[in-house]
Amino acid sequence: MQATVVGAGSWGTALGAVLAGKGWPVAIWDIDPVPLAGIGTSNENTRYLPGIPLPPTLRPEADLAKALDGSQLVVLAVPSHAMRIVAERAKDLLPTGVPICSVTKGIEVDTLMTMSEVLEDVLPLHLHPYLAFLSGPSFAVEVAKGMQTAVTVAASWGRVAKLVQEAFHTPYFRPYTSTDVVGVEIGGCTKNVVAIATGLADGMGFDANARAALITRGLAEITRLGSAKGANPQTLSGLAGIGDLLLTCSSSKSRNYRVGYGLGQGRALEEIQAELGQVAEGVLNAKSVHRMSAELGVEMPISEAVYRLLYEGLSAQDVLRSLTDRHLRGE
Ligand SMILES: NC(=O)c1ccc[n+]([C@@H]2O[C@H](COP(=O)([O-])OP(=O)(O)OC[C@H]3O[C@@H](n4cnc5c(N)ncnc54)[C@H](O)[C@@H]3O)[C@@H](O)[C@H]2O)c1
């Protein structure tokens, strides 16, 4: 099977390595030549996954048309703010009748569209049935090292989810299928915001009790939002919901957790972001989740507090107070 990965960041490279590790020729493209250069010369993405050897069948390709030519599986792995631009660029080059799998988590800030909505907005109608969405608890660095991982692949057409599941399945990478695209997408983009909150609590010196409370109440508000968007609440109890939430909210490997942690220690957002050198999508997601919950009339106190911390200058102490001083209610 020949595959194409669009986006040579950490996640695109790790997933390209999963496919290439099965012996398949995989072309990987990026707008930036830097990550491609290392993959070509030393089988290593020196920028995003330094020190991890990549299979030689993962081949960098600077020409998007050539990268997509003859592909039997297309993986879209760019940040959410670049998905529309990349889809516009690729729409006339994409092969017909093969799965197009977005692995991006996020909501477009201006339109509040999920990635499936952005792709359906840009791509021609005949490609829509082939869209799939992969999400779940998965740090790129662990996947690139061949460590055990399980994810969810959702597609409206079950056959497409199955094709993607089979393509990615290896002894260490186990995809489950779903037809609940919106549920999988809502889980993937909201957990980053809650991770900023758990990082913040840890950075302020709180411990396991606070983290467990934030994760549990975070899941409750994510499930409320998902239900309002038409998701099956059960999806949010799965890998793409609680699974990803647990991962992101409790590990310093998560950029979003690290943003919160730094803020909890009293550091400036700009300084933390510069140190990370990569996009912490929760910062953008906080804005879109805030607007989406307001539009749908869904109460999301944790996400709202994170939004006010990032965009309205609320202090870490005030964030805490806004959560603990809320009106008492039933669980
Ligand atoms: N890193 C992870 O562990 C991980 C795991 C699961 C899901 N994800 C999701 O995958 C997506 C990508 O994350 P990442 O960690 O790989 O990001 P990253 O910052 O490591 O890399 C993003 C890549 O996209 C490229 N890019 C940016 N704008 C582009 C454009 N307009 N055209 C083409 N390429 C462009 C960049 O050059 C970069 O190589 C995000 O939505 C993220 O939430 C990441």
Side-chain angles (χ1 to χ4, degrees):
M1 186 191 232
Q2 187 183 326
T4 307
V5 178
V6 176
S10 340
W11 196 215
T13 304
L15 289 174
V18 172
L19 299 170
K22 296 174 89 168
W24 298 336
V26 180
I28 186 160
W29 175 88
D30 200 284
I31 202 165
D32 181 355
V34 174
L36 298 183
I39 300 175
T41 53
S42 57
N43 294 328
E44 182 187 348
N45 186 333
T46 43
R47 175 178 284 180
Y48 293 111
L49 292 171
I52 302 177
L54 301 168
T57 41
L58 181 66
R59 175 181 60 84
E61 175 54 71
D63 180 330
L64 183 58
K66 281 190 192 154
L68 290 167
D69 187 37
S71 184
Q72 291 155 285
L73 168 65
V74 179
V75 178
L76 302 176
V78 294
S80 53
H81 60 84
M83 184 59 92
R84 183 175 292 276
I85 307 163
V86 167
E88 290 283 1
R89 192 165 170 164
K91 69 177 177 189
D92 297 326
L93 305 171
L94 286 164
T96 304
V98 308
I100 300 165
C101 181
S102 160
V103 299
T104 299
K105 296 170 180 171
I107 302 171
E108 193 174 53
V109 178
D110 296 342
T111 62
L112 297 186
M113 286 178 172
T114 60
M115 293 303 104
S116 64
E117 289 167 335
V118 170
L119 289 171
E120 288 184 357
D121 199 32
V122 176
L123 301 182
L125 196 62
H126 70 273
L127 295 178
H128 296 190
Y130 297 96
L131 292 172
F133 302 86
L134 184 150
S135 193
S138 46
F139 285 130
V141 65
E142 293 186 18
V143 172
K145 287 179 177 170
M147 293 179 166
Q148 292 298 326
T149 304
V151 296
T152 305
V153 175
S156 307
W157 189 10
R159 172 86 191 123
V160 171
K162 185 93 189 112
L163 284 172
V164 177
Q165 178 187 43
E166 283 164 2
F168 275 108
H169 181 220
T170 73
Y172 68 90
F173 196 81
R174 183 172 175 79
Y176 289 78
T177 57
S178 166
T179 50
D180 186 10
V181 170
V182 69
V184 163
E185 290 194 292
I186 289 295
C189 61
T190 47
K191 51 103 194 187
N192 287 335
V193 186
V194 181
I196 294 179
T198 57
L200 185 85
D202 286 357
M204 290 170 78
F206 299 105
D207 205 347
N209 292 358
R211 201 178 316 123
L214 285 166
I215 292 172
T216 313
R217 294 311 302 160
L219 180 65
E221 66 183 52
I222 288 170
T223 306
R224 282 198 292 273
L225 184 71
S227 300
K229 285 281 288 177
N232 178 348
Q234 265 193 325
T235 303
L236 295 157
S237 303
L239 290 163
I242 184 69
D244 210 359
L245 193 62
L246 282 173
L247 179 93
T248 315
C249 288
S250 51
S251 170
S252 58
K253 280 186 202 155
S254 157
R255 290 170 228 166
N256 301 293
Y257 173 92
R258 278 156 64 191
V259 164
Y261 193 88
L263 292 170
Q265 289 186 317
R267 296 175 62 203
L269 179 61
E270 297 69 30
E271 182 195 330
I272 305 164
Q273 299 241 75
E275 190 180 275
L276 287 175
Q278 279 171 288
V279 181
E281 288 193 311
V283 175
L284 293 175
N285 297 160
K287 199 183 272 183
S288 26
V289 169
H290 159 77
R291 286 185 48 210
M292 188 183 269
S293 61
E295 254 178 36
L296 294 170
V298 176
E299 211 183 347
M300 298 189 76
I302 299 171
S303 306
E304 185 60 21
V306 170
Y307 171 79
R308 294 182 61 204
L309 172 84
L310 296 173
Y311 295 102
E312 293 182 353
L314 204 71
S315 69
Q317 286 72 22
D318 286 343
V319 164
L320 182 70
R321 218 167 294 126
S322 76
L323 293 173
T324 52
D325 287 357
R326 290 182 74 240
H327 61 277
L328 292 170
R329 48 171 290 178
E331 191 174 18

